[in-house]
Amino acid sequence: MDQYLRNLLKEDSEFLQKLRAYGEAEFVPIVRLDMAALLRFLVKSHKPARILEAGTAIGYSSILMAQADESNSSHIDTIEIDPDTAMTARRNIAEAGLSSRIRVIVGDALEVFESLNGTYDMIFVDSAKSQYILMYDCIKKLLRQGGLLVCDNVIYYGKIFDSPEEAPHKHRTIIANLRAFLEKVMSDKDYAATLLETGDGVLLATLNNKP
Ligand SMILES: C[S@@+](CC[C@H](N)C(=O)[O-])C[C@H]1O[C@@H](n2cnc3c(N)ncnc32)[C@H](O)[C@@H]1O
């Protein structure tokens, strides 16, 4: 799929191609190409003015979302736990000319989520998978009514289909927490949600009723 999309998708900017090549060479995990295409589609169709991202890495997805906004006016707050990685992201964002629109916050996404005020039109969660369930209440608080929630890696390389008890010990907590998160969102009547096999599995949800 990635190889096919690589040939098919022409609109990736040269700068993003450069970041993807760097990510691949340095083993920095960034959204897969099909997920990148989905993010671009969501930004162009939903036109979120304020986006919150957990998991900046080197800034690929935040730059992609900023560049996808044709009005050039959206703002992104993105959170990265590793200070060196955050510094690389800031450098890349500056090189892309997007420092005024993308704010990189260094910290644990869970703690930062708890400290943020106001609401966002879109929240993209792409950080520690075992934390998604712990972020549940914060996400609901920070997403505006009608806002879009996008969570990557929810299939966890297919491991989510194994029962936690049968999985190797090191994966158990992640599987159990991801399953709990998915069950909670999918059964929450405030959301309209679905799962796609895009990327490493993506949860898409809109918050139709904000409590
Ligand atoms: C999959 S990468 C993000 C990729 C990025 N969204 C992209 O596609 O360009 C996950 C990132 O989340 C960061 N991370 C892990 N745990 C975190 C946490 N608790 N809070 C914030 N960032 C975290 C990692 O350091 C890593 O850089």
Side-chain angles (χ1 to χ4, degrees), residues 20 28-32 39 53-62 78-82 85 105 107-110 124-129 131 135 152-153:
R20 181 170 291 283
V28 180
I30 59 178
V31 285
R32 295 182 194 173
L39 281 179
E53 176 183 65
T56 316
I58 56 173
Y60 177 92
S61 51
S62 52
T78 180
I79 308 158
E80 172 55 51
I81 200 166
D82 180 65
T85 308
I105 302 167
D108 184 323
L110 182 58
F124 175 44
V125 185
D126 191 18
S127 53
K129 293 169 274 295
Q131 274 195 350
M135 293 169 154
D152 197 10
N153 303 116

Side-chain angles (χ1 to χ4, degrees), residues 40-139:
R40 192 181 296 107
F41 168 82
L42 292 172
V43 168
K44 284 186 187 292
S45 53
H46 284 254
K47 305 187 192 316
R50 278 171 50 80
I51 300 175
L52 176 62
E53 176 183 65
T56 316
I58 56 173
Y60 177 92
S61 51
S62 52
I63 293 171
L64 178 143
M65 290 190 284
Q67 288 183 340
D69 168 31
E70 284 155 33
S71 73
N72 281 320
S73 59
S74 62
H75 183 90
I76 300 173
D77 284 335
T78 180
I79 308 158
E80 172 55 51
I81 200 166
D82 180 65
D84 291 339
T85 308
M87 215 148 66
T88 307
R90 282 196 183 119
R91 219 175 25 242
N92 289 331
I93 289 162
E95 211 184 311
L98 291 166
S99 299
S100 61
R101 291 179 48 209
I102 303 176
R103 174 170 67 140
V104 180
I105 302 167
V106 182
D108 184 323
L110 182 58
E111 287 170 19
V112 177
F113 270 34
E114 280 166 357
S115 73
L116 288 171
N117 292 310
T119 57
Y120 293 83
D121 304 299
M122 174 173 167
I123 298 181
F124 175 44
V125 185
D126 191 18
S127 53
K129 293 169 274 295
S130 57
Q131 274 195 350
Y132 292 11
I133 183 72
L134 306 175
M135 293 169 154
Y136 196 87
D137 291 340
C138 283
I139 290 171

